[in-house]
Amino acid sequence: GESVGLHLPTLSVQEGDNSIINCAYSNSASDYFIWYKQESGKGPQFIIDIRSNMDKRQGQRVTVLLNKTVKHLSLQIAATQPGDSAVYFCAETGANNLFFGTGTRLTVIP
Amino acid sequence: KAGVTQTPRYLIKTRGQQVTLSCSPISGHRSVSWYQQTPGQGLQFLFEYFSETQRNKGNFPGRFSGRQFSNSRSEMNVSTLELGDSALYLCASDSGDSGANVLTFGAGSRLTVL
């Protein structure tokens, strides 16, 4: 079955530095991946997505990298800001639903 | 455009009771999914409804059920509550059309079972 996991449960970075959050997935048939951000007291919010026919996609200050060979997904946040402090989840598509990883808590140190 | 609305936001129940949670999706969205979120477990898929039909179901016991109305609003019910049912229950909606869709989540209903 599918499983999506994260390498690190917590990550602390200095404000202004770049952050990298990693995710491993096991279902090689997944063709769509999404990163979500969840702040305290809120539901997950969409950050960026990528299809399996791509290996990189950039948004505003965020970049998602997909390595299908090793089934690895990463989220890079440039110039991390205090407002980026949250739990980040990667998710992969299943049949009409998403499978989420357990999340990484990013803490930005001012 | 209003987001996904979940009610109630917080509730406390005791073991053995039952609970009903409500979700109003984004206008025009026909698919509603429910997830359970507990500390350390991430988000676990409960079920998905599309056009009043359950289209997909996760690995939860039969105590967890749901339904969807003709206006796409959805409810989920948990009967015979157990302590382990304490969690944040999240509802998400999308258009439901074929292909990958981005789920838009509500703020959740936090259930505490005593």
Side-chain angles (χ1 to χ4, degrees):
Chain A
E2 298 94 338
S3 68
V4 180
L6 294 168
H7 293 175
L8 295 172
T10 62
L11 176 66
S12 295
V13 298
Q14 206 72 37
E15 181 179 357
D17 288 351
N18 297 332
S19 302
I20 300 176
I21 301 171
N22 297 303
C23 177
Y25 65 94
S26 62
N27 183 9
S28 57
S30 291
D31 61 2
Y32 184 58
F33 303 87
I34 308 174
W35 281 99
Y36 281 88
K37 170 187 179 183
Q38 186 174 23
E39 298 174 277
S40 180
K42 298 182 179 179
Q45 297 172 285
F46 170 86
I47 301 173
I48 192 168
D49 57 359
I50 188 168
R51 292 194 177 274
S52 60
N53 61 353
M54 304 170 68
D55 53 21
K56 180 179 180 179
R57 190 166 188 217
Q58 289 184 292
Q60 187 178 18
R61 284 200 307 116
V62 294
T63 301
V64 56
L65 299 177
L66 176 62
N67 185 331
K68 294 180 287 294
T69 302
V70 295
K71 288 186 264 185
H72 184 268
L73 194 68
S74 69
L75 176 70
Q76 300 178 0
I77 304 174
T80 313
Q81 303 169 359
D84 295 327
S85 292
V87 177
Y88 290 81
F89 296 94
C90 64
E92 60 178 316
T93 54
N96 298 316
N97 63 282
L98 293 177
F99 292 93
F100 286 83
T102 55
T104 292
R105 180 174 297 281
L106 174 65
T107 301
V108 181
I109 304 166
Chain B
K1 199 175 196 181
V4 177
T5 304
Q6 293 187 245
T7 57
R9 288 294 312 279
Y10 303 92
L11 66 166
I12 300 173
K13 293 285 187 178
T14 57
R15 281 181 297 174
Q17 288 187 311
Q18 65 92 28
V19 66
T20 299
L21 309 177
S22 180
C23 173
S24 293
I26 289 174
S27 178
H29 283 187
R30 295 182 296 166
S31 170
V32 173
S33 300
W34 288 90
Y35 287 81
Q36 182 196 64
Q37 186 176 29
T38 55
Q41 296 299 314
L43 293 103
Q44 295 181 289
F45 174 70
L46 281 157
F47 26 65
E48 185 237 356
Y49 287 87
F50 177 77
S51 294
E52 303 179 65
T53 301
Q54 187 180 88
R55 189 161 66 171
N56 201 9
K57 188 178 189 301
N59 296 321
F60 278 81
R63 300 185 297 108
F64 293 80
S65 63
R67 59 177 175 169
Q68 187 180 34
F69 303 95
S70 59
N71 62 358
S72 293
R73 191 177 69 85
S74 177
E75 290 181 346
M76 68 162 283
N77 183 275
V78 187
S79 62
T80 319
L81 284 166
E82 301 176 359
L83 296 179
D85 296 332
S86 294
L88 180 67
Y89 290 88
L90 291 159
C91 166
S93 74
D94 68 72
S95 66
D97 297 332
S98 61
N101 291 299
V102 175
L103 297 179
T104 301
F105 284 86
S109 293
R110 183 165 295 281
L111 170 66
T112 301
V113 182
L114 303 177

